[in-house]
Amino acid sequence: MRRAVKRPARRGRRWLALLLAAALLAAAGGGGYAALLAAFPLEYRAEIDPAADDNGVERALLYAVAHTESGFDPAAVSEAGALGLTQITPETFAWLQTKTGEALPDEALFEPDVAANYAAVFLRLLLDEFGGDVQTAAAAYHAGRGQVNRWLADARYSADGERLDTIPSRATAHYVRKVRRAMRIYEVLYEKELVDNG
């Protein structure tokens, strides 16, 4: 069963994304649009689109995660042992399978459909846990739920205990910026393609 995607108000985000895309096109110089399309492709659409739709996650977010995590390399392995297109660790994969009821081997993460689906399952859980806030959910995808909950409990990083105002880890803050930037670019470049017509 497909879950409905909660779409935030777009007007402010749309202008910001358009400005960002325009700046990137200007920086790319001649052939800028083609270069931007090449840098932010819609790879693995047959796997990513249904995974996002079935789990009620914005397609642009799932593309942004795959782009940021592996550059769309289904054979990627990180130094931390994260695997596949969406760089999920075996420990997280095992935990997610307690939610889905599956029992897949770690190597299944090298299959793009499995990687996309489990990233979407994970993102849906994180968005639900963190009130739909993409920044906080992305931080948890990178640093872990436990770490983000510790940051949320610290008034230095969260005024309300629900959203991160400041991300104290440089690596996680950089990761979140990259995901949010990629998400905005995908929204601008592929506005029609990212709409669920199902």
Side-chain angles (χ1 to χ4, degrees), residues 155-167:
R156 292 175 298 172
Y157 310 128
S158 175
D160 61 8
E162 296 177 10
R163 291 174 184 239
L164 288 173
D165 303 315
T166 303
I167 300 173

Side-chain angles (χ1 to χ4, degrees), residues 13-193:
R13 281 180 37 177
R14 181 99 176 110
W15 275 107
L16 189 62
L18 286 169
L19 286 171
L20 177 63
L24 287 168
L25 286 171
Y33 186 69
L36 202 53
L37 289 173
F40 293 88
L42 285 181
E43 294 277 343
Y44 296 101
R45 281 192 79 180
E47 292 80 17
I48 289 176
D49 288 359
D53 298 344
D54 291 348
N55 290 284
V57 172
E58 286 191 62
R59 290 178 179 181
L61 175 56
L62 193 50
Y63 280 105
V65 166
H67 179 277
T68 303
E69 287 287 353
S70 73
F72 296 102
D73 179 1
V77 179
S78 77
E79 290 180 10
L83 308 175
L85 188 68
T86 54
Q87 292 291 279
I88 295 173
T89 64
E91 295 78 17
T92 298
F93 189 42
W95 175 73
L96 289 170
Q97 288 185 83
T98 68
K99 309 294 184 190
T100 65
E102 292 186 296
L104 301 172
D106 296 345
E107 297 74 30
L109 286 169
F110 292 121
E111 299 171 23
D113 61 327
V114 173
N117 185 58
Y118 274 88
V121 167
F122 194 22
L123 287 165
R124 179 73 266 153
L125 290 168
L126 294 173
L127 288 164
D128 289 346
E129 180 173 358
F130 298 114
D133 184 55
V134 170
Q135 173 169 296
T136 307
Y141 194 101
H142 183 264
R145 295 168 53 248
Q147 182 60 68
V148 166
N149 278 304
R150 285 189 288 277
W151 291 337
L152 288 171
D154 190 327
R156 292 175 298 172
Y157 310 128
S158 175
D160 61 8
E162 296 177 10
R163 291 174 184 239
L164 288 173
D165 303 315
T166 303
I167 300 173
S169 161
R170 248 189 183 159
T172 300
H174 179 67
Y175 173 84
V176 170
R177 282 193 300 274
K178 284 177 69 175
V179 168
R180 293 182 72 191
R181 172 178 165 262
M183 187 176 176
R184 289 192 298 264
I185 292 169
Y186 273 104
E187 288 171 340
V188 170
L189 289 179
Y190 302 106
E191 182 178 15
K192 292 178 183 170
E193 293 89 338

